[in-house]
């Protein structure tokens, strides 16, 4: 359950940002669509570049350390997006984007394996089903929740003065959610007495 929660939390941070940041970068920051896509590489490249590093960490450390660390990295990156604004530069967004992407990337190759290996062999299918259900449901609910918050705070238009404040609210909420998830993962992974 802890690994499914971690995957859900990381994806609940990453996926809504992938959905709503392009519109913000185009409508508020004023980028051309292609340029916004290039900026978003700072967010997505770590998700494909770091799974091997996550696997290496998982072999050297107790499973909870890289998993909880990845949730915290994603949350910290999201919270740092509260500094984003109409005059943001790629350099200003590098750290938040890279942290969110790193959190996802470090766990991309290990979480499903950890979830399945944490149960008896005859329950591997159940574990895989639960893991994927939590992950996909978290993504879907997060996209809907973030969209609802953005629509409520901006009157349905992710542009103009209200869009930056709305994105700051979302960034802090995603960061806070990840912090709570990290605490829960840590508690769930504590050895039973």
């Amino acid at each position: 359950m802890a690994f499914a929660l971690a995957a859900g939390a990381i994806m609940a941070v990453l996926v809504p940002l992938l959905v709503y940041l392009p519109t913000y970068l185009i409508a508020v920051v004023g980028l051309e669509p292609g340029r916004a896509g290039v900026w978003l590489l700072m967010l997505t490249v770590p998700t494909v570049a770091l799974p091997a590093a996550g696997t290496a960490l998982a072999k050297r450390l107790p499973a909870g350390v890289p998993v909880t660390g990845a949730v915290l990295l994603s949350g910290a990156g999201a919270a740092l997006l509260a500094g984003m604004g109409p005059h943001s530069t790629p350099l200003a967004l590098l750290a938040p984007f890279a942290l969110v992407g790193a959190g996802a990337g470090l766990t991309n190759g290990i979480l499903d394996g950890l979830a399945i290996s944490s149960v008896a062999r005859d329950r591997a299918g159940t574990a895989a089903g639960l893991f994927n259900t939590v992950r996909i449901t978290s993504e879907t609910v997060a996209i809907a929740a973030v969209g609802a918050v953005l629509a409520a705070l901006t009157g349905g238009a992710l542009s103009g003065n209200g869009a930056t404040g709305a994105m700051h609210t979302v960034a802090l909420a995603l960061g806070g959610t990840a912090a709570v998830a990290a605490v829960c993962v840590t508690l769930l992974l504590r050895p039973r007495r």
Side-chain angles (χ1 to χ4, degrees), residues 115-185:
I116 293 168
S117 67
S118 69
V119 299
R121 282 193 136 147
D122 62 333
R123 294 194 149 164
T126 303
L130 175 66
F131 177 82
N132 286 314
T133 299
V134 169
R135 187 176 54 81
I136 297 296
T137 302
S138 297
E139 292 173 10
T140 304
V141 169
I143 290 169
V146 168
V149 169
L150 291 173
L153 294 177
T154 64
L158 190 57
S159 59
N161 294 336
T164 297
M167 287 299 286
H168 291 173
T169 299
V170 164
L172 293 173
L174 291 174
T177 300
V180 169
V183 170
C184 293
V185 167

Side-chain angles (χ1 to χ4, degrees), residues 21-118:
L21 277 173
T23 302
Y24 181 84
L25 292 173
I26 293 165
V28 178
V29 178
L31 301 180
E32 294 295 321
R35 191 160 185 85
V38 170
W39 283 29
L40 287 170
L41 288 173
M42 296 182 294
L43 178 66
T44 57
V45 166
T47 66
V48 295
L50 293 177
T55 301
L57 284 173
K59 289 178 181 176
R60 290 186 174 91
L61 301 169
V65 174
V67 170
T68 303
V71 175
L72 290 171
L73 282 175
S74 291
L80 286 173
L81 285 173
M84 176 174 60
H87 303 293
S88 290
T89 64
L91 187 58
L93 296 177
L94 176 62
F97 282 9
L99 288 171
V100 172
L106 288 170
T107 58
N108 267 349
I110 62 171
L111 278 175
D112 51 348
L114 288 170
I116 293 168
S117 67
S118 69

